[in-house]
Amino acid sequence: FKPNHICKTMEVDASTTSGTAAASASDSLSAGSPGHMAPQGVQPSVNAALHPLVLLTISDHWTRCRLQFGHNRVLGALLGKQEGRLVEICNCFELAPYFSPANPQTADIDTIDAGFFQTRLAQYREVYPSLTVVGWYYCCDLPEEVTDTEAALHKQVCDLVMSDSPLMPVLLRLLPSSAATTAESLPVRLFESVLELVNGSPKCLFIPLPYSLATEEAERIGVDHVSRDMSGSGGTKVAEALAVQRSAVRALYSRLGLLLSYLRDVSAGRLPPCHAILRDLRRLADQLPVCGGEDFYRSFYRQCNDVQLTALLGTLIQATNTVHQLIGRTALLQDRRRRGVPSGYN
């Protein structure tokens, strides 16, 4: 890690000696933080605000890699801005990883393509000049603690973003197959990274970081359209109304088919007649409008004639336009012939 990263130190009782203070801090880190996690008493120094666009982009990245290449682990960079103690994560882009074993479906990511990162970061800076790299995301199902693979990748990310941001990057972990997800909680875990002295050497530790959702007007509209498309009801109110009518017509058609099947079985003697059901069917049939008689056919043919006249009017307008274009071109050709201009020249 670079020396100009922000470092935190454990608070130790001032009454003890310097050697005892270092030993107690080291013991507390090793006892209270298994692996790469900080002690439970350590509180995060920043607050995080997460935009829905980030979650949609990460989910799309994981879905594409899972379906096309079978990769269960994907990663990328997080773009955002920091104002005081608030880190706002606004956008992200994917990174190109390298898999060490031959089977990438189950292998951990070994290294990150630094050239691809710099190229993609330069492209995003042209579009979003106010955003900087504030962290990175890792998409896989892992335990609550940060693993050795994530710690190694985090060190590579720190080396890559050193020139872009002086702060330690945050880690966003998306759990796509998490079964504990509810309507109130998202399958997302955020971790703040800090540098601590453990046994006289610096070590990167991770603190669980709470977050809140921050949305803009454009994001709310986009998320609303995506949710409508996922529900299968379409993206407009017209599509929703048509879907409701289609469901109602299908339900009516299925129930009419059931009643017709019952009447056929009763007429053929396969089922005993039930007079209560037959009386209800008769009452239902009496309530239906009678599709017959002189008034019905007069109204029906009038509507048919109106539709046919509308279609014929459209055909006549199109034919008139074609004749008008033909007359104009014929007049232009005759004028050229009178002036002695060849027809092939303008």
Side-chain angles (χ1 to χ4, degrees):
F1 297 99
K2 303 300 181 180
N4 59 347
H5 275 303
I6 295 179
C7 301
K8 288 186 177 180
T9 56
M10 301 292 295
E11 294 183 359
V12 189
D13 189 1
S15 61
T16 58
T17 60
S18 59
T20 306
S24 61
S26 176
D27 294 340
S28 63
L29 286 171
S30 59
S33 58
H36 303 277
M37 299 300 297
Q40 296 182 357
V42 179
Q43 298 296 327
S45 61
V46 296
N47 299 321
L50 185 61
H51 284 252
L53 177 62
V54 179
L55 300 179
L56 293 177
T57 305
I58 298 175
S59 301
D60 176 74
H61 183 199
W62 182 84
T63 303
R64 287 187 289 106
C65 292
R66 180 66 179 271
L67 295 179
Q68 296 178 4
F69 310 106
H71 295 172
N72 295 327
R73 294 168 172 81
V74 295
L75 77 162
L78 300 176
L79 298 177
K81 50 190 175 181
Q82 182 175 5
E83 297 180 359
R85 297 184 57 186
L86 177 63
V87 178
E88 186 175 1
I89 305 175
C90 305
N91 206 339
C92 64
F93 62 89
E94 59 187 69
L95 296 178
Y98 290 113
F99 296 92
S100 50
N103 186 12
Q105 283 78 9
T106 58
D108 289 335
I109 298 175
D110 187 21
T111 56
I112 301 174
D113 190 346
F116 180 84
F117 171 80
Q118 298 297 339
T119 302
R120 185 58 60 88
L121 180 59
Q123 295 173 352
Y124 270 82
R125 278 178 174 173
E126 295 180 0
V127 182
Y128 306 102
S130 61
L131 301 183
T132 59
V133 179
V134 296
W136 65 291
Y137 69 84
Y138 192 61
C139 189
C140 66
D141 290 327
L142 293 173
E144 293 295 331
E145 292 78 13
V146 177
T147 61
D148 296 337
T149 300
E150 290 177 311
L153 293 174
H154 189 80
K155 185 178 184 303
Q156 298 181 38
V157 173
C158 291
D159 296 335
L160 292 174
V161 304
M162 171 59 64
S163 60
D164 187 75
S165 175
L167 302 175
M168 292 287 288
V170 299
L171 168 61
L172 187 149
R173 181 194 293 169
L174 181 65
L175 311 175
S177 302
S178 177
T181 304
T182 61
E184 292 78 13
S185 62
L186 295 174
V188 175
R189 302 293 184 270
L190 280 176
F191 299 94
E192 180 189 5
S193 58
V194 296
L195 283 180
E196 296 285 357
L197 290 178
V198 180
N199 297 327
S201 60
K203 182 179 180 180
C204 184
L205 300 179
F206 295 87
I207 305 172
L209 180 63
Y211 65 92
S212 60
L213 293 179
T215 59
E216 298 178 353
E217 185 65 25
E219 286 182 320
R220 285 193 290 269
I221 296 175
V223 171
D224 180 69
H225 279 276
V226 171
S227 62
R228 291 175 185 270
D229 293 338
M230 291 178 62
S231 62
S233 59
T236 61
K237 294 183 178 180
V238 177
E240 291 181 0
L242 292 177
V244 172
Q245 293 181 3
R246 180 174 179 269
S247 301
V249 170
R250 291 183 61 182
L252 177 61
Y253 180 78
S254 62
R255 283 159 177 77
L256 290 178
L258 179 61
L259 296 177
L260 182 60
S261 177
Y262 171 76
L263 292 177
R264 287 174 179 174
D265 292 339
V266 172
S267 178
R270 291 188 293 267
L271 289 177
C274 180
H275 298 285
I277 297 178
L278 294 177
R279 283 194 297 269
D280 291 338
L281 292 177
R282 179 64 181 181
R283 191 181 303 109
L284 178 63
D286 293 338
Q287 294 177 0
L288 297 177
V290 179
C291 298
E294 185 178 357
D295 295 337
F296 171 77
Y297 285 109
R298 185 184 298 109
S299 176
F300 176 75
Y301 289 136
R302 186 184 299 111
Q303 293 181 5
C304 290
N305 292 335
D306 293 341
V307 173
Q308 295 296 331
L309 286 175
T310 304
L312 180 60
L313 179 61
T315 304
L316 289 176
I317 293 175
Q318 186 177 4
T320 303
N321 185 26
T322 304
V323 174
H324 177 72
Q325 293 180 358
L326 178 61
I327 293 174
R329 292 175 182 176
T330 303
L332 179 62
L333 181 60
Q334 291 178 356
D335 181 69
R336 288 180 175 178
R337 287 180 178 179
R338 286 195 303 266
R339 292 183 300 169
V341 179
S343 60
Y345 295 89
N346 294 329

